[in-house]
Amino acid sequence: MINRRKFIRNSAITAAAVPLLNSQVLAAWAQEKGLKDLYKGDFFIGAAINGRSLTTPDFVNILKKDFSSITAENEFKWSVINPSEGEWRFDFPDQFVKFGQDNDMFMQGHCLVWHSQVPRSLFVDESGNQVTKEALLKKMQVHISTLVDRYKGKIQGWDVVNESITPEDGWRRSQWYNIIGPEFMDHAFNLAHEADPSAHLIYNDYNMDNPKKVQFVVEMIRDFKKKGVPIHGIGMQAHYHLDEPDINVIENSMKAFIAEGMKVHWTELDIDVLPAAGARTSEISTNAEYQDALNPYTEGLPKEIDDKLTKRYEDLFKLLLKYKDDVMRVTTWGISDDTSWKNGFPVRGRTNYPLLFDRQHQPKNCYKAIAALKS
Ligand code: GLA
């Protein structure tokens, strides 16, 4: 049982500091089972990780104890892994796969085709002119086959396409869409399937609570089925807030995808507790100017807000459990609050509290609440 002792040693907390910690939280952490064991047989509990996660003892311990799935935050994105034609950076991806295999984890590759974080040279030829449809399809084919083939049978799931639909207009007018047309989607899924026929392939997007967007995705799935394009699941990014979206709306989206025979993944779960800076969206190009009023919890999270955060996590996990037969995985976007992208998005320099572990890498009350649901 003393995970507790091991935990304290590894996270460099002094004995004197221990009594200051919430004893219930520590007790939950100290139980023999981590979240991955508590939820075994329900769905995978995942975390998005980066290089630091695998070299920082606290993070390694947390990953081994609590998580049964990993996704790389950035290192499989086109501009990072394949920054120019023929150039591949497999160092971290190989370490990621080894760590996942050593710890018997479900690994999700993120992501094969996206409009963001791609090399500038992707859409232009040597003279700077836009590439032809044929040339871009060839680049897609080389990228997908090289990557999926390298990790065939090891990375079990792929986010084949990320964020290609907007709630307003249906297909996002990305370079992929403009140069190839909407069938770039079919090509991407077909290529991934050819490279690894046993891989679980999903479409991933944010704001999957928006009914128009959900309907568009449902129609896309039906069209894929008609054409025989392989798709096995839908990734709802789940960048949520304390009060939005409404849990019933999230449930409706899950039902709609499940009705189409899809497995549901929550791929990037975090819960933003800070005041909204304009319309809430996870559109990556959004940013708003810093104001102190938008950053109220620099000295710690007031109990009232922490209680709301805990309740929100609990409600969301109850919902996941309700649909556990069709939910394959929930992944938090990061491990602990200090490393979350939500400290910098959509306003830079804020102190946010979106994840299950705090800035000292201790389990939070929300961790305890979701552990308690299965204890
Ligand atoms: C989107 C992407 C992720 C990541 C986050 C921000 O949700 O899918 O890969 O870039 O934005 O960190």
Side-chain angles (χ1 to χ4, degrees):
M1 180 122 206
I2 186 41
N3 287 330
R4 179 164 185 268
R5 230 203 229 153
K6 190 169 149 213
F7 173 60
I8 290 169
R9 190 183 57 235
N10 288 337
S11 55
I13 303 173
T14 61
V18 171
L20 297 177
L21 294 169
N22 179 323
S23 59
Q24 282 177 313
V25 173
L26 263 187
W29 171 266
Q31 68 196 328
E32 279 175 35
K33 289 184 172 181
L35 293 179
K36 71 161 195 251
D37 300 308
L38 292 170
Y39 282 84
K40 196 171 185 166
D42 296 328
F43 37 78
F44 294 115
I45 304 286
I49 68 166
N50 54 38
R52 257 189 74 203
S53 321
L54 298 187
T55 52
T56 307
D58 278 6
F59 292 143
V60 172
N61 290 336
I62 291 172
L63 286 169
K64 289 185 175 179
K65 177 161 187 267
D66 283 298
F67 292 96
S68 48
S69 172
I70 47 173
T71 306
E73 235 176 296
N74 286 299
E75 291 81 357
F76 282 77
K77 291 175 181 169
W78 199 311
S79 62
V80 184
I81 201 167
N82 185 195
S84 62
E85 235 168 301
E87 182 185 359
W88 289 91
R89 299 199 176 151
F90 288 128
D91 283 1
F92 178 80
D94 285 354
Q95 288 167 30
F96 167 96
V97 168
K98 173 148 191 345
F99 184 82
Q101 284 187 306
D102 289 349
N103 294 287
D104 199 18
M105 290 167 159
F106 179 90
M107 288 178 263
Q108 182 77 17
H110 171 79
C111 46
L112 296 172
V113 172
W114 190 23
H115 62 278
S116 185
Q117 292 187 254
V118 285
R120 271 203 203 137
S121 57
L122 183 57
F123 301 114
V124 291
D125 63 19
E126 278 143 23
S127 334
N129 298 319
Q130 184 173 291
V131 287
T132 61
K133 176 174 178 171
E134 291 64 37
L136 187 56
L137 279 172
K138 179 70 191 159
K139 290 186 188 204
M140 182 197 270
Q141 185 260 317
V142 171
H143 182 80
I144 294 183
S145 345
T146 307
L147 196 42
V148 176
D149 184 62
R150 182 179 181 91
Y151 299 115
K152 187 173 180 168
K154 297 176 181 163
I155 292 190
Q156 300 98 323
W158 285 96
D159 294 354
V160 179
V161 178
N162 197 31
E163 303 179 352
S164 71
I165 294 166
T166 68
E168 304 81 28
D169 311 317
W171 296 120
R172 178 190 288 273
R173 276 22 178 200
S174 67
Q175 297 281 66
W176 291 110
Y177 178 92
N178 291 338
I179 300 173
I180 302 178
E183 66 268 27
F184 83 88
M185 298 279 300
D186 313 16
H187 286 289
F189 278 86
N190 281 327
L191 286 166
H193 183 67
E194 277 161 29
D196 184 356
S198 63
H200 180 87
L201 306 181
I202 73 172
Y203 172 71
N204 190 50
D205 212 331
Y206 63 82
N207 286 163
M208 292 292 238
D209 45 285
N210 179 298
K212 265 174 81 182
K213 191 162 180 170
V214 170
Q215 191 51 36
F216 198 86
V217 174
V218 163
E219 276 156 28
M220 178 194 85
I221 298 166
R222 290 179 183 161
D223 184 50
F224 271 23
K225 281 194 201 145
K226 262 194 240 145
K227 294 187 290 199
V229 176
I231 182 166
H232 312 114
I234 296 295
M236 302 167 67
Q237 287 187 1
H239 294 297
Y240 292 150
H241 301 266
L242 279 183
D243 49 352
E244 284 177 5
D246 186 287
I247 196 134
N248 298 314
V249 175
I250 300 174
E251 179 167 7
N252 287 342
S253 304
M254 293 172 79
K255 282 202 233 166
F257 300 139
I258 292 168
E260 299 305 315
M262 295 291 104
K263 289 291 174 202
V264 168
H265 300 237
W266 286 9
T267 55
E268 306 184 13
L269 176 63
D270 43 28
I271 300 174
D272 189 334
V273 302
L274 296 180
R280 281 168 167 165
T281 171
S282 297
E283 167 57 46
I284 197 88
S285 56
T286 318
N287 56 64
E289 206 170 309
Y290 180 90
Q291 297 165 35
D292 283 342
L294 296 175
N295 191 23
Y297 311 130
T298 52
E299 302 299 323
L301 199 58
K303 180 174 182 310
E304 179 202 343
I305 309 295
D306 187 53
D307 287 350
K308 280 191 183 163
L309 178 67
T310 301
K311 172 86 170 53
R312 180 73 161 153
Y313 260 108
E314 189 178 348
D315 290 346
L316 289 171
F317 270 72
K318 281 184 184 160
L319 178 63
L320 289 165
L321 284 168
K322 182 170 171 189
Y323 292 95
K324 64 182 183 184
D325 291 348
D326 296 293
V327 170
M328 184 149 164
R329 169 176 63 103
V330 53
T331 289
T332 56
W333 200 247
I335 301 171
S336 59
D337 289 342
D338 51 324
T339 60
S340 166
W341 75 301
K342 282 290 186 171
N343 296 305
F345 179 90
V347 179
R348 280 175 191 267
R350 297 198 294 176
T351 306
N352 213 333
Y353 300 81
L355 296 169
L356 296 169
F357 292 85
D358 68 16
R359 286 180 160 67
Q360 284 72 46
H361 311 155
Q362 311 297 314
K364 292 163 57 178
N365 287 326
C366 47
Y367 172 103
K368 176 179 160 261
I370 63 169
L373 287 177
K374 294 292 299 182
S375 301

